[in-house]
Amino acid sequence: MGVCNGGERLSRTLDSVLSQQGVDFEFIVVDDGSTDDTAVELARRSAEDARLRVLTNPKNIGLTQSLIYGCDEARGRYIARQDCGDRSLPGRLQGQMAWLEAHPAAVMVSCHTRVTGVYGETVFEKRISAETLSQNLLHGVNGTYAGPSHHGSVMMRTDAYRRVAGYRQPFVVAQDLDLWLRLVEVGPVGVVD
């Protein structure tokens, strides 16, 4: 996860990942030159939980470069994305890991996304089937390519990520779609509920 000035959103995001059960993981957070209390919160939380590994950019270099840095440092078999302000529901990491274990040829798995309002109410849910995801990435629809429900909904195999050269610096935006389009060329993708 890359974060710059995470503010109040940071704690809930950290809680949602660090409370995941049934998986052994390291949670790499790249502090991208924050000027608020992000560094203080990350230092406090990493002192409490050794799974939280904080990397720091002395100045803001942007999300794409931060993701490259974090993914280069990843030591696990899988890389799961998370954004500051997002929350992963209980079981997300376990479900995605189990799916990848059951589908050894697959390179990436996504899940559905629920967008909530300021009071926690559901604004909308974005669901996509594995077939639609594959079609959207391999062939597009009317010249438009689309990926999973959200950047932070993805878990991918680290070896596949590295095989396709990961995130690419020139993509300041759409770094996720660029990566997914290259991943789908080397293996199948899936979706868990």
Side-chain angles (χ1 to χ4, degrees):
M1 180 175 92
V3 59
C4 180
N5 297 331
E8 335 177 319
R9 303 165 305 159
L10 180 60
S11 184
R12 290 187 337 174
T13 298
L14 295 174
D15 290 343
S16 82
V17 174
L18 294 171
S19 65
Q20 296 287 310
Q21 297 180 343
V23 290
D24 183 25
F25 64 91
E26 65 177 345
F27 184 14
I28 297 175
V29 177
V30 179
D31 180 0
D32 189 23
S34 295
T35 57
D36 66 356
D37 290 338
T38 294
V40 172
E41 176 70 2
L42 289 172
R44 183 182 72 77
R45 296 295 292 269
S46 64
E48 295 171 355
D49 193 325
R51 297 174 300 171
L52 179 57
R53 188 169 157 215
V54 179
L55 306 175
T56 304
N57 296 332
K59 64 178 186 158
N60 182 275
I61 60 173
L63 178 61
T64 303
Q65 281 298 115
S66 294
L67 294 178
I68 292 168
Y69 180 24
C71 290
D72 284 351
E73 292 291 319
R75 299 178 288 212
R77 290 186 322 193
Y78 306 111
I79 296 171
R81 276 286 291 117
Q82 181 81 24
D83 284 320
C84 183
D86 293 348
R87 290 179 282 163
S88 287
L89 293 177
R92 174 202 164 194
L93 297 181
Q94 184 178 31
Q96 289 182 317
M97 185 184 78
W99 190 91
L100 285 168
E101 294 286 327
H103 299 87
V107 294
M108 178 180 83
V109 64
S110 179
C111 59
H112 306 306
T113 301
R114 178 181 304 129
V115 176
T116 57
V118 294
Y119 302 108
E121 74 280 12
T122 297
V123 176
F124 67 88
E125 290 188 4
K126 187 168 181 188
R127 295 175 170 268
I128 187 170
S129 70
E131 296 78 23
T132 300
L133 176 59
S134 292
Q135 172 68 28
N136 288 349
L137 287 172
L138 285 169
H139 309 291
V141 177
N142 298 323
T144 301
Y145 292 84
S149 62
H150 182 60
H151 195 171
S153 72
V154 168
M155 179 182 282
M156 57 199 141
R157 292 187 191 280
T158 304
D159 63 344
Y161 171 87
R162 293 187 173 137
R163 191 172 351 142
V164 300
Y167 291 105
R168 297 191 293 184
Q169 189 277 327
F171 289 86
V172 177
V173 297
Q175 68 280 99
D176 51 358
L177 185 57
D178 171 62
L179 174 61
W180 300 330
L181 289 169
R182 287 178 288 117
L183 280 171
V184 77
E185 291 179 358
V186 298
V189 298
V191 178
V192 295
D193 206 8

